[in-house]
Amino acid sequence: FVHGSTKNDAAILVDCPGGGCTGALVGKLPGVAEWCEAHNVKIISPSYPGFGHSEVRPGWTIGEWPKSDLEPILEQEGVTDSFMVTGTSFGTPHAQAVAVYFGERVKVLGLRVPYVGRHVSEDVGLPLGQANMRYDSKSCNTNLIGHVIGKAFMSTVSDPASFFDEPSGASRALISCLQPKALEQIKKLNNEHEDAMQCLKYDVNRGVVVSGQGWLYMCATDTLLDHKFDVRDIKQNKTNIPVIVWYAEDDEDCPPSHGAWLVEEFGGKSRLFSGLGHVGAAFVDHVKFLDEVRMAA
């Protein structure tokens, strides 16, 4: 999806959406379209395999995504110069991989509620950045236990907007198990940030308009946790990319220790949220986040 300015001299921002979301979301968030026009910015936001109308691709690897998915899109859009990159939640390792792959072409890296891959987290003593779902892109189809876990998980994401409303049944049980504080935080967000939440609900349901297989393979360990790149290579490549990190101290999805480690590792400018959990820190004040990214570029 392409949002914002249509001028030939527009600055380019690559947006890596959060898990379950599509490239349509960022352009619908409150104030983003107006911000793009005011600052002459074009946002390019690809949907991940299996979400919306994009093709399902089992076993896709985040470290390979900049070359396999993003680079052809940039070529098609005529982007040959430098650009900004942002990522949210599941999108943050994608944004990190973009910075590693494109190197000096990346002017700034902006991360909201980030996490890093299993290799790095284990190496530096951090908890896993996401839950280990105990299946990979092959075992969910070939192994009985993996198949049962994968299919059971898919059954809970047929109506993902319900996670951000008043979930019941299996959805409510799953949230209560994985993120005990989330239900109260979501209620607060629906009351205080209704417009952004409506955009989010619409988009996550758009993500499963064809099927829930995007969720199945997104949460497979060979995509979700094993990224096949090292975010520290941004520094190894001798690129001096400014890094901005917004994260939440009460995040039950992406551990706040990952955000804190990224701030320390890259000396990034940061904002620490409290009281709004993962979802609030992912979307609240997004125009202010984009301003910080643009000013750092």
Side-chain angles (χ1 to χ4, degrees):
F1 284 83
V2 178
H3 311 279
S5 176
T6 58
K7 296 179 180 178
N8 292 333
D9 63 345
I12 303 299
L13 187 151
V14 172
D15 168 76
C16 303
C21 300
T22 75
L25 176 59
V26 66
K28 304 295 184 183
L29 290 174
V32 170
E34 294 82 0
W35 179 87
C36 287
E37 293 298 333
H39 298 292
N40 192 26
V41 175
K42 176 194 288 186
I43 296 179
I44 298 173
S45 185
S47 297
Y48 303 123
F51 289 94
H53 292 279
S54 61
E55 184 178 354
V56 174
R57 190 165 77 247
W60 53 283
T61 302
I62 291 177
E64 299 168 354
W65 182 83
K67 181 178 181 179
S68 64
D69 290 49
L70 180 60
E71 193 165 38
I73 293 172
L74 295 181
E75 291 175 357
Q76 183 177 338
E77 292 297 324
V79 179
T80 58
D81 205 345
S82 57
F83 52 88
M84 302 172 279
V85 180
T86 60
T88 300
S89 188
F90 178 65
T92 60
H94 290 78
Q96 297 161 29
V98 171
V100 170
Y101 180 74
F102 286 98
E104 293 181 351
R105 287 186 64 187
V106 175
K107 296 193 291 185
V108 59
L109 174 62
L111 306 171
R112 298 197 69 162
V113 291
Y115 77 100
V116 299
R118 176 169 14 207
H119 166 70
V120 175
S121 61
E122 291 181 346
D123 194 38
V124 301
L126 294 172
L128 282 182
Q130 290 285 281
N132 185 345
M133 299 301 288
R134 308 290 178 183
Y135 70 88
D136 62 27
S137 59
K138 292 182 178 178
S139 69
C140 66
N141 294 306
T142 61
N143 175 279
L144 177 60
I145 295 176
H147 181 76
V148 169
I149 294 174
K151 296 307 180 185
F153 175 67
M154 275 188 67
S155 70
T156 69
V157 298
S158 59
D159 178 21
S162 67
F163 284 106
F164 306 109
D165 212 336
E166 289 294 336
S168 60
S171 296
R172 189 177 186 88
L174 182 64
I175 293 175
S176 297
C177 178
L178 297 177
Q179 301 180 30
K181 300 177 183 177
L183 294 173
E184 188 62 34
Q185 291 163 346
I186 288 170
K187 182 178 179 180
K188 182 177 181 180
L189 288 166
N190 280 318
N191 289 333
E192 298 179 5
H193 301 277
E194 182 180 1
D195 290 347
M197 291 299 287
Q198 288 298 326
C199 292
L200 176 60
K201 293 173 196 177
Y202 177 83
D203 191 73
V204 293
N205 271 5
R206 185 189 176 281
V208 296
V209 67
V210 175
S211 78
Q213 289 190 73
W215 281 89
L216 176 67
Y217 293 115
M218 176 185 74
C219 292
T221 56
D222 46 347
T223 293
L224 191 66
L225 292 173
D226 299 321
H227 299 162
K228 294 186 179 177
F229 79 95
D230 191 321
V231 65
R232 294 170 293 187
D233 285 344
I234 294 174
K235 289 165 55 173
Q236 295 291 333
N237 293 343
K238 295 182 168 55
T239 53
N240 190 24
I241 300 173
V243 179
I244 293 168
V245 182
W246 285 20
Y247 65 109
E249 65 179 6
D250 53 355
D251 194 330
E252 297 176 306
D253 189 333
C254 297
S257 57
H258 284 231
W261 179 83
L262 285 162
V263 172
E264 182 177 356
E265 179 73 8
F266 293 99
K269 187 175 181 180
S270 65
R271 176 176 173 182
L272 181 62
F273 285 80
S274 181
L276 296 177
H278 179 78
V279 176
F283 297 107
V284 168
D285 290 341
H286 201 63
V287 166
K288 291 182 180 179
F289 174 72
L290 294 176
D291 267 333
E292 285 200 8
V293 169
R294 184 180 67 87
M295 294 299 291

